Amino acid sequence: AGAAGEGEFVPIPLEAVVDAPPAVVWQKVGGWCDIGAWMKTTCVVTSGDGGMGSVRRIADRIDELLVAKTAWSYSYSQPKSPIDYHGTVEVRPEGKDKTRLLYTLVYDVANLPSEEAKAADKQRRTQMFTGVVATMKAIAEAK
């Protein structure tokens, strides 16, 4: 762990190759509240219009702020999160009519009590979001 206040940030980079062009993939999974479908829960935009600075509420309990956006990506944070949680969703062209779907999480594990707790937390999040990426791939490939 780093010095007090520095945090101990853990990245979880996940990806999948999707059998569809990037524009099609982004149209199906790139919306600010599309996460509701990937996580099989609710998502409501509570502030803004889905652009920079917009806030979404997931499962009626998690608020996320849109902090960066490009044509085929966005990044979000969870304001006031004790783990300083951030995520990025991105699509990139991958050969002819294929897309690389990337979902990257980064968060601070410094407050967890042990190396075992940190590893278990990372494993839990990795497993959960691996399922989310698989759901995103299925949605994007659906005809």
Side-chain angles (χ1 to χ4, degrees), residues 20-32 34 38 71-72 91 99 136 139-140:
V24 170
V25 174
W26 195 247
Q27 182 178 15
K28 290 184 177 185
V29 299
W32 178 230
D34 289 350
W38 322 329
W72 288 345
V91 299
T99 300
M136 293 170 74
I139 291 169

Side-chain angles (χ1 to χ4, degrees), residues 46-106:
T46 59
S47 175
D49 60 5
M52 287 295 296
S54 292
V55 176
R56 65 186 179 192
R57 174 161 284 168
I58 302 166
D60 204 30
R61 63 182 180 85
I62 300 167
D63 292 315
E64 295 182 336
L65 171 68
L66 185 64
V67 297
K69 188 173 184 177
T70 70
W72 288 345
S73 72
Y74 67 79
S75 295
Y76 61 90
S77 70
Q78 290 180 355
K80 300 176 181 42
S81 165
I83 61 170
D84 202 15
Y85 182 95
H86 291 73
T88 298
V89 177
E90 178 184 5
V91 299
R92 296 181 189 162
E94 178 80 12
K96 182 167 172 37
D97 294 329
K98 289 191 185 293
T99 300
R100 184 164 301 273
L101 171 64
L102 300 104
Y103 200 136
T104 305
L105 311 172
V106 63

